[in-house]
Amino acid sequence: MSIDELINNEHVKLAIQLKTCQLQREQLASLNAAYVEATLRGYSWKVKKPVSINEAIDDILQLTIGEIVAYLSHEAVVIGSSMKLEDFYDFMKVKE
């Protein structure tokens, strides 16, 4: 089963939503399911792809906020390092 097939499975989608709600309630209100899914794709399942839906759901339920934040921070650095200085001008505008 491919990663896309796993992510599109109704049980896996439900587990992602439940984990997202749990982490929003307990630790990080601004978290969304897309961040959890991105972490699964780019971190948890990049090296060790689950062989069954049960294993995928177990991976989801064991995911921590630290893993999600670390992965997203790493991705932000990677994306930011490939950008040009001009891409950051919107962030650096001084209000007159």
Side-chain angles (χ1 to χ4, degrees):
M1 185 174 287
S2 74
I3 298 295
D4 288 332
E5 290 173 331
L6 279 173
I7 291 291
N8 290 323
N9 178 278
E10 64 185 51
H11 301 292
V12 172
K13 283 183 179 184
L14 177 61
I16 290 171
Q17 275 304 106
L18 290 172
K19 187 62 176 184
T20 301
C21 290
Q22 175 197 7
L23 293 173
Q24 286 173 333
R25 187 178 59 254
E26 295 175 357
Q27 297 176 320
L28 188 62
S30 62
L31 185 70
N32 65 43
Y35 297 149
V36 174
E37 183 181 324
T39 304
L40 290 165
R41 286 177 183 269
Y43 173 72
S44 301
W45 296 343
K46 189 168 187 166
V47 176
K48 184 182 178 282
K49 182 182 150 201
V51 294
S52 67
I53 292 173
N54 290 340
E55 192 175 317
I57 292 172
D58 190 45
D59 290 344
I60 294 164
L61 297 179
Q62 290 182 16
L63 198 60
T64 66
I65 195 68
E67 291 170 326
I68 295 169
V69 170
Y71 174 74
L72 294 174
S73 298
H74 177 267
E75 286 300 296
V77 169
V78 169
I79 292 168
S81 68
S82 67
M83 295 172 75
K84 297 177 183 171
L85 186 57
E86 294 82 28
D87 297 333
F88 293 98
Y89 282 165
D90 288 342
F91 296 116
M92 297 186 284
K93 284 187 180 176
V94 178
K95 292 184 180 178
E96 297 177 19

